[in-house]
């Protein structure tokens, strides 16, 4: 992963570098329903931050508002000091804030290799004329050759290189999660938003995935993850944000969250 | 089982395997197959004779011409539907824009029906393609803001609006008076001659035609005279059509080359991703709207070009040639061949034109020529009732008389079978990896 790991988050001012993601007073309404209600939090650089909450707490909606899939009704989202509220998903992704989905969204009819080759930014061959005009194509071919190397490195890093030629639809749910994450890595992101990366993943794969998140964090990547598995959250996250009925209920380190009365109540006595 | 029977499948499989090795072989084998079928059909209709040669070439001319036309349309449609998943059911309309724009630009101002500006033909052709692309832009921009299904409604509606506008006498009169060019309304529009026609209007054409005329010895038994009889193996009108068809095939080869390059490129990769899941493509930083608009305009320009080479080569444009059924034919060809595969689009067009479009008509001609059918009954009752007395002739006559509607029944049946048995079409299940290079891991020398 030499290439991907040599790009730690860009340094701007110390303040924005320390907290790449800042959410202020985020609100999202669907008709009469308030899915996210005045949520404010931030994510520190180089950390794994967990976003938890009971079903319907507004976690995925928050994700969708941050990444541009939904436009928030009110509030602001800042990424590396820049206001990204209301930007289109591709604009946000191109700024280095890349997400995965709760239910793995592999591009099913495409092979694993194609899935990964798709992801890198600034591909010359994405210009129509460059892909067609004979003279201009050489540059495209050169870039593709470079990318191919990175793709294979990434596949090996996530240990799915044996599936490279398979159509994505033939992968198991867990393998698709790995595919999604490796695809997200190919964009060389500054920060990753993972929506339930462990859901439907078998224990062996889960360990593998956690392993990857660990070593990527060591390399300076920042993670925000929505997760239901409390063990994962408590073990892996430096910081946990709890949402309940659209609002932020608690925000602190795992130990604080474990002892928080309100959180226990929100989960109705569920063992945290 | 004898030894020869045991080795037969091996040979056959090996032959099929050899053909499947290259796309060119697949296409040529399909063409050869359809040509063979038609040669047999024509011989069945007319019997063997020197005159049959002309008829066989006539049949080949028709299917090759239609194949080239549909293959161009289907390749363009494959860009929209097969690659990007954009449901364009206004193909006929974009063809019409191409043809009529070409006419308005290049038809002579003194034409009898429908007047143009009389500009050189290349300007007309280019103008037609640009106009089709711009109309595509107009259709795509509002449709891209809403969900994908609306594109289907917008394009179908637009295609009918175009056809009806082209047939409007009022509009034509107004544009003729204002700009000096009009479509001629319902009475159609004269179009420039095919640029290849000059060959057969000159002495070169005569000498080419001579090559295909042979002298056959003839003996007149009554007068005991020996002499020669001139027999035209291939008439010059068929030859002249073949020259034009050849031009179309050249353009087809060029378009195929281009869309194939698009397919095997990062651009094509994004198109496929949009088809699979647009939100994923966006979440990876792809501005999907730009890709969709670009590919939609390109596809529409190609549809305009297909229209110009096909309908525009008949010397006359008529609004009724652009009914939505043309769009559905292109979809059928694409589904047969395999949506998402460029080679599949070409193969599907050959099979559609040969076996579903022209084939039934040819079979109908054989039945009426061979069975000496009486007049067809006027009603379905009249056709079916004699079946009770085991008299099938009225039923056959009725069927032959109604071959066009029966064709629709056949198309429906074929579509149902394909969707049930082979939803990916002939070649749709192939993996055509969208990348400019071979993605296999480079073996390092260790």
């Amino acid at each position: 992963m030499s290439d991907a790991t040599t790009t730690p988050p860009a340094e701007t001012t110390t303040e924005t570098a320390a907290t790449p993601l800042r959410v202020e007073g985020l609100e999202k309404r669907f008709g009469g329903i308030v899915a996210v209600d005045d949520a404010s939090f931030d994510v520190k650089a180089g950390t794994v931050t967990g976003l938890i909450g009971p079903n319907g707490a507004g976690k995925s909606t928050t994700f969708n508002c941050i990444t541009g899939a939904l436009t928030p009704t009110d509030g602001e989202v800042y990424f590396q000091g820049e206001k990204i509220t209301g930007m289109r998903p591709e604009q946000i992704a191109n700024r280095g804030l890349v997400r995965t989905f709760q239910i793995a969204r592999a591009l099913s009819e495409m092979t694993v290799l194609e899935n990964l080759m798709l992801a890198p930014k600034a591909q010359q061959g994405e210009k129509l004329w460059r892909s067609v005009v004979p003279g201009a194509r050489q540059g495209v071919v050169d870039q593709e050759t470079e990318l191919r190397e990175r793709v294979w490195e990434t596949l090996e890093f996530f240990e799915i290189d044996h599936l490279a030629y398979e159509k994505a639809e033939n992968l198991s749910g867990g393998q698709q999660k790995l595919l999604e994450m490796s695809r997200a890595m190919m964009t060389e992101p500054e920060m990753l938003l993972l929506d339930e990366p462990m859901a439907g993943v078998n224990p062996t794969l889960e360990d593998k995935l956690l392993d990857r998140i660990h070593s990527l964090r060591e390399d300076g990547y920042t993670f925000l993850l929505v997760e239901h598995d409390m063990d994962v959250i408590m073990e892996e996250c430096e910081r946990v944000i709890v949402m309940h009925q659209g609002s932020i209920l608690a925000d602190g380190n795992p130990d604080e969250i474990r002892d928080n009365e309100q959180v226990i109540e929100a989960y109705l006595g569920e063992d945290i | 089982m004898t030894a020869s029977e045991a080795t037969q499948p091996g040979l056959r499989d090996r032959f099929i395997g050899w053909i499947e090795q290259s796309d060119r072989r697949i296409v040529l084998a399909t063409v050869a197959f359809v040509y063979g079928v038609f040669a047999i059909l024509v011989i069945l209709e007319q019997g063997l004779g020197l005159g049959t040669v002309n008829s066989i070439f006539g049949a080949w001319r028709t299917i090759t011409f239609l194949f080239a036309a549909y293959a161009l349309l289907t390749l363009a449609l494959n860009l929209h539907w097969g690659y990007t998943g954009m449901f364009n059911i206004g193909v006929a309309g974009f063809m019409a824009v191409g043809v009529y724009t070409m006419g308005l630009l290049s038809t002579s101002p003194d034409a009898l029906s429908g007047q143009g500006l009389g500009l050189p033909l290349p300007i007309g052709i280019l103008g037609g393609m640009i106009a089709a692309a711009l109309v595509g832009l107009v259709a795509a921009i509002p449709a891209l803001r809403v969900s994908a299904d609306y594109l289907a409604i917008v394009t179908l509606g637009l295609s009918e609006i175009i056809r009806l506008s082209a047939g409007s006498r009022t509009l034509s009169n107004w544009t003729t008076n204002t700009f000096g060019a009009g479509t001629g309304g319902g009475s159609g529009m004269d179009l420039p001659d095919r640029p290849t026609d000059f060959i057969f209007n000159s002495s070169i054409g005569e000498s080419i035609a001579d090559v295909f005329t042979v002298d056959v010895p003839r003996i007149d038994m009554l007068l005991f005279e020996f002499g020669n009889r001139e027999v035209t193996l291939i008439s010059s009108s068929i030859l002249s059509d073949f020259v034009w068809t050849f031009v179309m095939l050249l353009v087809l080869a060029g378009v195929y080359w281009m869309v194939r390059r698009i397919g095997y490129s990062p651009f094509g990769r994004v198109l496929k991703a949009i088809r699979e899941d647009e939100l994923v493509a966006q979440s990876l930083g792809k501005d999907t709207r730009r890709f969709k608009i670009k590919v939609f305009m390109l596809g529409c320009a190609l549809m305009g070009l297909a229209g110009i080479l096909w309908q525009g080569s008949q010397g006359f444009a008529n609004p009724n040639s652009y009914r939505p059924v043309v769009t559905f034919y292109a979809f059928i060809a694409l589904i047969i061949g395999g949506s998402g595969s460029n080679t599949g689009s070409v193969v599907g067009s050959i099979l559609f034109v040969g076996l579903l479009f022209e084939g039934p008509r040819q079979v109908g001609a054989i039945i009426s020529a061979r069975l000496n059918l009486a007049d067809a009954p006027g009603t379905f009752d009249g056709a079916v009732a004699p079946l009770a007395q085991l008299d099938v002739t009225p039923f056959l006559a009725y069927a032959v008389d109604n071959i066009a509607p029966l064709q629709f029944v056949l198309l429906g049946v074929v579509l149902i079978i394909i969707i049930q048995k082979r939803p990916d079409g002939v070649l749709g299940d192939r993996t055509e990896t969208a990348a400019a290079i071979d993605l296999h891991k480079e073996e390092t020398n260790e």
Side-chain angles (χ1 to χ4, degrees), chain B residues 61-310:
Chain B
R61 164 194 62 178
T62 312
I63 51 175
T64 316
F65 176 74
L66 285 174
F67 148 62
Y70 272 106
L72 278 169
L73 274 189
T74 310
L75 282 176
L77 187 61
N78 189 37
L79 269 184
H80 286 170
W81 172 241
Y83 266 95
T84 326
M86 299 177 89
F87 199 10
N88 175 5
I89 41 177
V91 178
F94 295 110
M95 279 170 61
V97 172
V99 175
Y100 274 101
T101 309
M102 186 269 279
L104 291 173
L105 290 173
S106 295
T107 294
S108 145
D110 317 316
L112 285 175
S113 179
Q115 284 79 40
L117 300 174
L119 298 169
L121 191 57
I123 294 178
I125 294 175
L126 201 64
M129 290 175 69
I130 292 172
L134 290 178
V135 173
L137 179 70
V138 170
I141 285 181
L144 287 175
R145 295 179 164 274
V146 288
S147 88
D149 303 341
Y150 286 89
L151 183 69
I153 299 166
V154 169
T155 48
L156 180 63
L158 191 69
S159 137
E160 284 294 273
I161 290 170
I162 291 163
R163 181 173 69 85
L164 295 171
S165 307
S168 159
R169 165 63 58 191
T170 323
L171 183 68
S172 171
N173 285 344
W174 180 75
T175 54
T176 313
N177 292 333
T178 321
F179 306 107
T183 59
S187 45
M189 177 172 204
D190 286 333
L191 294 176
D193 289 340
R194 298 180 295 197
T196 53
D197 284 352
F198 80 94
I199 299 176
F200 280 86
N201 294 336
S202 68
S203 57
I204 314 168
E206 278 170 31
S207 43
I208 297 174
D210 281 346
V211 176
F212 293 97
T213 307
V214 288
D215 289 340
V216 181
R218 188 188 76 138
I219 308 165
D220 194 320
M221 293 310 254
L222 281 176
L223 300 168
F224 290 101
E225 269 178 8
F226 297 87
N228 281 328
R229 183 165 62 115
E230 268 201 349
V231 173
T232 311
L233 283 179
I234 308 172
S235 73
S236 64
S237 82
I238 291 180
L239 284 173
S240 137
D241 286 351
F242 258 118
V243 171
W244 177 248
T245 304
F246 183 70
V247 171
M248 286 174 74
L249 289 174
L250 283 183
V251 174
L252 174 63
V255 168
Y256 175 79
W257 174 84
M258 185 182 77
V259 293
R260 197 180 154 87
R261 266 171 104 88
I262 292 174
Y264 291 108
S265 81
F267 184 84
R269 203 152 59 210
V270 177
L271 298 185
K272 269 170 109 173
I274 292 171
R275 177 191 71 196
E276 293 299 314
D277 193 330
E278 192 172 350
L279 183 56
V280 168
Q282 288 175 334
S283 300
L284 293 170
K286 313 297 174 197
D287 189 350
T288 54
R289 293 171 309 169
R290 290 177 71 116
F291 284 91
K292 281 161 81 174
I293 287 179
K294 272 190 202 172
V295 80
F296 198 72
M297 289 179 72
L298 176 68
C300 290
L302 291 177
M303 287 166 187
L305 178 67
I308 291 169
L309 295 177
W310 173 14

Side-chain angles (χ1 to χ4, degrees), chain A residues 105 114 123 137 144 148, chain B residues 261 264 269 277 434 436 438:
Chain A
R105 295 175 85 145
E114 283 180 298
Q123 294 193 41
R137 198 171 162 93
E144 294 266 280
R148 176 176 63 189
Chain B
R261 266 171 104 88
Y264 291 108
R269 203 152 59 210
D277 193 330
D438 181 7

